[in-house]
């Protein structure tokens, strides 16, 4: 899992907690800007964040295990994914461990899930995200979602994290589970 410097550090924290809760081993690399947004948006220290991961790597360590395709993984999640990181992955410009790991994930044909976040999106951002989806990445932005009747930002966060984990077939108990409109003739509801 990579954390880059887009807004959305709480998504990264919740994702690490979820992976730990379901027993998935997480290997974490955080960009320098990711550390800045973590401080701004959560008040957590990098050490506190890192304590949630199974293994932590320095972003400058392009010789780390996750820099090689021979290190087997289920794939990679970049949450949040900045437009700079999206551009780096899209162009194959792998000058950091985070970018190299994403590059390797694509070349090995493993799932690469990008929780890409920016607004508004420029034509450059849209072109890169479109190209990335054509290249095999899954672009899963943290979209505001109202049909689940969220009460808090944490509810929205959990909803997005559930969508991210879905991409790997990971079952997480706190994921929103839509079973139809509460008032529908079929009698569905929310759980
Ligand atoms: C508080 C804060 C919020 C930011 N939010 C975003 C964002 O939502 N999307 C984005 O693409 N960049 C955002 N940026 C800018 C990136 O951090 C910046 O482009 C950085 O160079 C990205 O580097 P990285 O991709 O290596 O982490 C933000 C920066 C800060 C300080």
């Amino acid at each position: 899992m990579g954390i880059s410097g887009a807004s959305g550090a709480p998504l990264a924290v919740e994702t690490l907690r979820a992976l730990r809760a379901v027993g998935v081993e997480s290997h974490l690399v955080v960009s320098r800007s990711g550390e800045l947004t973590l401080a701004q948006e959560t008040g957590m220290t990098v050490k506190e964040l890192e304590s949630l991961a199974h293994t932590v790597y320095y972003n400058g360590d392009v010789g780390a295990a996750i820099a090689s395709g021979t290190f087997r993984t289920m794939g990679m999640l970049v949450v949040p994914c900045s437009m700079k990181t999206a551009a780096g992955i899209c162009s194959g410009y792998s000058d950091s461990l985070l970018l190299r790991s994403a590059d390797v994930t694509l070349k090995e044909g493993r799932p690469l899930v990008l929780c890409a976040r920016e607004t508004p999106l420029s034509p450059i951002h849209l072109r890169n995200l479109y190209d990335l989806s054509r290249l095999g990445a899954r672009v899963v932005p943290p979209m505001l979602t109202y049909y689940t009747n969220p009460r808090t930002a944490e509810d929205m966060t959990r909803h997005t994290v559930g969508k991210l984990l879905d991409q790997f077939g990971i079952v997480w108990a706190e994921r929103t589970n839509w079973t139809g409109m509460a008032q529908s003739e079929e009698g569905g509801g929310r759980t």
Side-chain angles (χ1 to χ4, degrees):
M1 178 170 146
I3 300 177
S4 66
S7 181
L11 293 162
V13 173
E14 192 64 21
T15 302
L16 284 170
R17 287 203 178 115
L19 291 173
R20 175 176 273 218
V22 300
V24 171
E25 194 176 300
S26 58
H27 290 248
L28 178 67
V29 58
V30 186
S31 74
R32 177 68 194 123
S33 304
E35 293 179 358
L36 293 179
T37 48
L38 177 78
Q40 169 66 24
E41 297 181 331
T42 71
M44 276 174 90
T45 65
V46 175
K47 278 220 172 324
E48 286 167 336
L49 174 82
E50 290 178 347
S51 71
L52 298 172
H54 181 271
T55 306
V56 176
Y57 307 91
Y58 164 55
N59 198 25
D61 185 7
V62 289
I66 56 173
S68 169
T70 60
F71 184 77
R72 288 180 190 270
T73 67
M74 292 168 66
M76 183 171 179
L77 181 55
V78 185
V79 53
C81 180
S82 76
M83 293 304 107
K84 179 198 152 202
T85 288
I89 300 169
C90 189
S91 63
Y93 189 74
S94 305
D95 72 339
S96 69
L97 181 60
L98 196 162
L99 291 174
R100 168 64 186 167
S101 305
D103 198 21
V104 164
T105 304
L106 273 185
K107 90 180 167 70
E108 297 295 333
R110 296 174 187 148
L112 175 64
V113 178
L114 307 176
C115 186
R117 197 273 164 202
E118 185 51 282
T119 191
L121 291 158
S122 77
I124 296 171
H125 304 150
L126 289 165
R127 185 191 60 200
N128 285 339
L129 295 175
Y130 174 69
D131 285 352
L132 281 163
S133 75
R134 300 266 302 184
L135 293 165
R138 301 283 297 168
V139 180
V140 185
M143 294 286 193
L144 292 174
T145 304
Y146 296 99
Y147 69 88
T148 52
N149 301 127
R151 292 206 177 88
T152 63
E154 287 73 25
D155 288 344
M156 289 257 191
T157 299
R158 274 191 294 276
H159 180 73
T160 294
V161 170
K163 300 287 263 190
L164 295 170
L165 299 184
D166 274 355
Q167 301 300 316
F168 296 91
I170 295 172
V171 179
W172 180 44
E174 293 184 49
R175 174 189 178 281
T176 315
N177 187 13
W178 176 256
T179 58
M181 301 272 289
Q183 311 287 316
S184 77
E185 286 178 12
E186 281 72 32
R190 279 186 299 117
T191 62

